[in-house]
Each structure stands twice: as C-alpha cells, then as structure tokens.
Amino acid sequence: MSSTGQTTASSVGAVADASRLVAFALRPKLRPARDETYAELVRRFHHDDGFAELVKAICLGLDLVILDADDRHGLVVASSEESVFAVRMTDYARRSGGEGKAAERVLHALAHLGAATLAYPRPADLSNPAYVGRVTVNGVEAFVREACRRLSEAAAEAGDDVDPSADTPDLETAWRVYQRRAATPGSGDGRRVASSTIGIVGKALTFLADQGMLVKRSEEDGGTYATTSRYRIQVAEAGSRMFAELLSLGITEITDGTGTLTPVEWTDQTVSQL
C-alpha cells in the first residue's frame, strides 16, 4: 500500500474511532469501566489532540456540545436546540405518559428544578466530583409545593395574587400551575396517579435514571435515588439560570418531605461563578 493509501486508511480509522466515542456518549447508562473500548477512546481523547479535535468536529456537526470527558462517566454531551438529539419538553412530557400540554410542561420543569436543587443544596456539592446526592420522590414534591406555598403567601401579602406581569421570573408564573394540581389524588386502588404532582415527580426521576443521571436505590419515600457524576455535570451546566431564579424569588430553604426545613446555601456570588 502506498504512503498516501496508508495515510487515508489511518485518517478514516481515526474518524471512525471519533464517531464511535460520540456514539458511546449517546448511550447515557454506559460507563468506561464497563467497556474497555470506551475507556481507551476516552484516554485517547485526553492525550491525542488531533483525535480530540476530530471528536469536537463530529459533535459540532451533530449540534452537540461536549461538557466533560472523564474516566468515570465517559464523554458527556448536551444537545443544542437545533440538534436531532434534543429532547424538547413537549416530547419529554409525551414520552412520560402525558399529552404535552403547556400546564404539564410547567409541572415537569418544576419537578426537574426541584430534583436538581435537592440533589445539590450547596455550591460545594455541585463542584465536588466525589459528591453523591440523594433525592426522593416525596422530598422533591414537598420542596416544590412548599416553594409554591411561600410564593403564594408573598403574592397575597403584596396584593399581587393575580396573573403576574410579563417581567416577573418564569417560576413566579409556574407556581400557580403547580398549586392547582393535586399532590396525590386517590386512584381507588392505591396506585400512584400519573397526573398528580407526585406522579409527575416520579416520572421525572425515572426519566433521569433512564438517562444515566440518577440510580434508583429503593422504593422508600416514593422512590429514592442517588446522583451520578453525569448528572452533576449537567446540573452545573444549567445551574446559573436555575439557581438565579430561585434566589430572585427568595426560595432559601428546602424540605426533606418530613416538614424539616434546611437552608439552601446559594448566593448571587456563587451562582455567578457557575
């Protein structure tokens, strides 16, 4: 084989390997520790600049953004709004058994916000690669409902218990939708009702587990989950807007589902550093 042919074959092989690494990244439950090829490609990404540039170029073409690459969680990517891999809230709500209506999308968004806040209640937790958070379905639902109650009381005291103006934070509109939805309407046979807020939170945490963000540990408290490093990376990426909205609304405490309140140690300074 000529030198040109060898160079071409080598280039094709490198592109194939780079594409394979991106394919691994799109299988969220797969870890390098479980696949030697994946582990080797992650190591190559770190030590071979030319290979890393190929991986980045492929991601760029697929409208994907590389968030991190690590021996534990592998290559972590996020999709842009234009990407074919993007999961839009309408699609997500339908995949979760709903109809994708606006009210449902709001409820699911609040469930995910509550889960992230409870998983990483302190800035140090979110910045610590070794930290493992714990969330429960009941705890997330209780936190969101408590936040809604406080916002409702604040609005009533200010005489603003009508539809908020267009310049108010998005969450100030969302809490009204959540409050109107029952937490646990009876199904008659003891089953969780999917349209209840408990049901919606349960589907949100199940979705995160399916995406390799959480790992289910038990059925306690409606379902108990542990966080993964992949989830930490994703929350950190979205953290600035997420926690800024909570701070702007004065949500400074959380509940673990038993009525116990704990301060959320986020400040404007820590949010700006995300």
Side-chain angles (χ1 to χ4, degrees):
M1 180 181 291
S2 68
S3 60
T4 302
Q6 290 175 336
T7 300
T8 301
S10 175
S11 300
V12 170
V15 172
D17 287 343
S19 300
R20 188 171 294 113
L21 178 55
V22 176
F24 280 134
L26 295 171
R27 298 169 61 187
K29 287 189 174 182
L30 184 63
R31 299 287 181 271
R34 299 178 183 175
D35 190 295
E36 180 54 37
T37 300
Y38 192 6
E40 175 56 35
L41 290 174
V42 170
R43 287 192 291 268
R44 187 173 172 185
F45 179 85
H46 281 298
H47 299 297
D48 185 337
D49 291 341
F51 180 70
E53 288 303 316
L54 271 179
V55 175
K56 293 174 184 176
I58 290 169
C59 285
L60 180 64
L62 294 173
D63 290 315
L64 297 172
V65 178
I66 297 176
L67 302 182
D68 196 31
D70 184 88
D71 292 339
R72 293 181 305 165
H73 49 246
L75 186 69
V76 180
V77 298
S79 57
S80 69
E81 292 183 3
E82 296 78 21
S83 176
V84 67
F85 300 106
V87 180
R88 293 169 177 78
M89 187 54 72
T90 302
D91 299 330
Y92 160 76
R94 287 175 180 151
R95 284 168 56 180
S96 300
E99 298 178 357
K101 294 180 179 179
E104 280 191 340
R105 296 199 299 271
V106 167
L107 295 173
H108 281 283
L110 288 175
H112 281 277
L113 174 59
T117 306
L118 288 178
Y120 303 101
R122 300 169 300 179
D125 300 333
L126 192 55
S127 62
N128 180 6
Y131 178 80
V132 177
R134 176 181 172 276
V135 293
T136 69
V137 171
N138 292 347
V140 171
E141 200 288 327
F143 163 62
V144 178
R145 193 160 291 278
E146 172 65 11
C148 292
R149 184 188 66 79
R150 294 188 178 201
L151 290 170
S152 178
E153 289 181 350
E157 290 175 2
D160 296 331
D161 50 345
V162 294
D163 288 340
S165 61
D167 60 354
T168 57
D170 294 341
L171 291 181
E172 193 166 342
T173 305
W175 67 259
R176 301 169 187 271
V177 179
Y178 199 94
Q179 274 202 315
R180 290 195 292 266
R181 187 67 61 97
T184 54
S187 64
D189 58 5
R191 292 178 301 170
R192 179 186 292 168
V193 175
S195 60
S196 68
T197 53
I198 282 286
I200 285 172
V201 170
K203 287 187 287 188
L205 299 193
T206 297
F207 175 82
L208 289 173
D210 290 341
Q211 295 299 308
M213 309 290 185
L214 301 176
V215 177
K216 190 168 187 177
R217 295 302 190 194
S218 74
E219 296 293 341
E220 184 181 359
D221 289 328
T224 297
Y225 297 80
T227 61
T228 67
S229 56
R230 179 177 290 268
Y231 188 48
R232 184 184 65 81
I233 296 298
Q234 295 281 0
V235 172
E237 178 68 16
S240 180
R241 174 176 170 77
M242 179 188 304
F243 292 106
E245 285 238 354
L246 288 171
L247 284 172
S248 70
L249 293 173
I251 306 302
T252 57
E253 292 181 314
I254 61 174
T255 174
D256 61 4
T258 65
T260 301
L261 293 176
T262 305
V264 177
E265 300 174 14
W266 287 90
T267 65
D268 290 324
Q269 182 179 2
T270 54
V271 166
S272 67
Q273 294 173 349
L274 290 176

